[in-house]
Amino acid sequence: MTARLLDGRPVASHMWRDLSSRVAALAETGAAPPRLAIIIFERGGSSAVYAGGIARAARSVGVEPFEVEPPDGVSLPDLAARIGALNRDPSVAGIVIAQPVAAHLELPRVVELIDPAKDVDGATPLNAGRQARAEAAFVPATALAVMRLLHHYEVPIAGRRAVVVGRSPVVGRPTAELLLSAHASVMLTHRRTRNLARETRRAEILVVAAGSPNLIRAEMVNRSAVVVDCGINVTEQGIVGDVDFEAVRPVVSAISPVPGGVGPVTTMCLIEQTVRSAEALHARAEQDESLGRFAHRSISLE
Ligand code: NDP
């Protein structure tokens, strides 16, 4: 038996069509294209790859990306003023940080400068806290992508035993929260987990986000498992995930590839949250305008 392939590309294409028509609908009302700010501290490297991928996806649906590059050695108050201006700018629907941040700054202090209403990668403490109560407006895009992939391929989640390998605030932890909200029974594992293989073998849904190539081998899964691999590892053999794909595919029921699995869906999830933010900003502006008209009429009637 060869497992069903959870290919991310059709999922991303489906999302692309939906988002393109939603952005077009906004444009028909006369609204300017939504803008997505990407704050970038270093030219080149992983920051540039991240920013480039997001910018391409944004443009492809009609969202206008722009990079904000703070000067070298920018102080936290100066950065707060720059991000504050983006927070107040109604043309900016979303703000994301391309990691790594400058060495003299701490990521959590930078992230919390973003208005949670524009935090389209679900990175702020407020959105993380709300997510723990299943109330977040925005969640980390990779976690959302895992859910989109499972929904697209109609993988049942409610009542299933899900095991997540990795507990970072960016991938593992928020994925576990979303699975729990979808009524899976979730186990979150990490480096200190005793006998990882015993836990992963029990998984009906196994999500791996460890950043360790070939961590999950054939003897660590069961035949009914649906395996979602979030790992992106650059090796001499190219980009590979955290799962030994060739060995695991024949012994599970479904598996996502790397590349081409979670990755393309993640980018679209970030853009989806940006479009949702733009729609909310637009609805608020229309409401303010009609309240303004109403107030004007009441005054002229007096
Ligand atoms: P982190 O390094 O922040 O976290 C890795 C997590 O995996 C930690 O919780 C760590 O445990 C756990 N872990 C690492 N090795 C083992 C092991 N041998 N056994 C058990 N647990 C282990 O990584 P991220 O969460 O940021 O990223 C994880 C992977 O996902 C990376 O490959 C990254 O490139 C990829 N990624 C993919 C994205 C996508 O869009 N597809 C987006 C973002 C990331 P502990 O906490 O104990 O240290």
Side-chain angles (χ1 to χ4, degrees):
M1 186 189 77
T2 294
R4 189 153 63 118
L5 195 68
L6 306 179
D7 187 347
R9 286 161 299 195
V11 189
S13 303
H14 180 81
M15 292 178 75
W16 179 86
R17 281 193 295 278
D18 171 56
L19 295 173
S20 301
S21 66
R22 284 164 63 181
V23 175
L26 275 177
E28 274 168 25
T29 67
R35 298 168 74 219
L36 171 63
I38 306 168
I39 301 176
I40 185 159
F41 291 89
E42 64 172 42
R43 292 266 138 228
S46 58
S47 286
V49 175
Y50 175 83
I54 290 173
R56 268 192 305 281
R59 265 189 221 103
S60 76
V61 302
V63 169
E64 200 177 279
F66 66 104
E67 287 183 8
V68 176
E69 193 182 348
D72 285 347
V74 65
S75 68
L76 195 61
D78 183 356
L79 191 62
R82 289 164 195 267
I83 296 181
L86 299 171
N87 288 339
R88 289 186 298 277
D89 183 340
S91 75
V92 176
I95 305 169
V96 292
I97 309 279
Q99 290 187 41
V101 300
H104 67 286
L105 297 169
E106 290 173 48
L107 180 65
R109 301 291 82 74
V110 173
V111 162
E112 62 197 16
L113 299 174
I114 299 173
D115 178 351
K118 295 189 178 186
D119 168 28
V120 292
D121 201 14
T124 58
L126 189 74
N127 277 322
R130 282 182 176 158
Q131 198 196 352
R133 295 165 57 160
E135 293 173 353
F138 300 120
V139 298
T142 310
L144 189 56
V146 171
M147 302 307 286
R148 288 276 187 277
L149 204 58
L150 293 173
H151 286 307
H152 182 90
Y153 289 99
E154 298 180 344
V155 174
I157 299 174
R160 298 293 159 118
R161 259 195 320 275
V163 174
V164 179
V165 182
R167 59 175 164 180
S168 82
V170 184
V171 193
R173 212 176 274 243
T175 304
E177 302 270 13
L178 291 182
L179 286 164
L180 185 61
S181 296
H183 311 294
S185 299
V186 184
M187 180 172 200
L188 198 46
T189 65
H190 44 80
R191 276 183 235 263
R192 303 277 189 99
T193 299
R194 271 184 292 143
N195 201 340
L196 181 66
R198 185 184 59 200
E199 306 303 340
T200 56
R201 265 198 301 270
R202 286 169 47 79
E204 292 171 286
I205 297 171
L206 177 63
V207 180
V208 193
S212 178
N214 296 332
L215 174 65
I216 303 298
R217 302 177 306 275
E219 67 275 16
M220 297 172 76
V221 292
N222 75 68
R223 289 200 165 271
S224 63
V226 172
V227 181
V228 179
D229 189 351
C230 301
I232 302 177
N233 305 293
V234 182
T235 69
E236 284 176 3
Q237 288 74 46
I239 291 180
V240 301
D242 290 343
V243 178
D244 181 347
F245 184 83
E246 297 307 328
V248 170
R249 188 174 186 193
V251 298
V252 292
S253 75
I255 185 167
S256 70
V258 176
V262 175
V265 188
T266 296
T267 316
M268 276 300 147
C269 285
L270 186 73
I271 307 303
E272 178 189 302
Q273 300 203 101
T274 307
V275 172
R276 187 142 47 80
S277 167
E279 289 167 340
L281 279 167
H282 181 67
R284 216 171 307 140
E286 289 213 312
Q287 197 180 26
D288 288 350
E289 200 184 301
S290 67
L291 281 175
R293 271 201 303 271
F294 179 71
H296 182 71
R297 215 170 37 230
S298 324
I299 291 164
S300 54
L301 284 174
E302 276 168 9

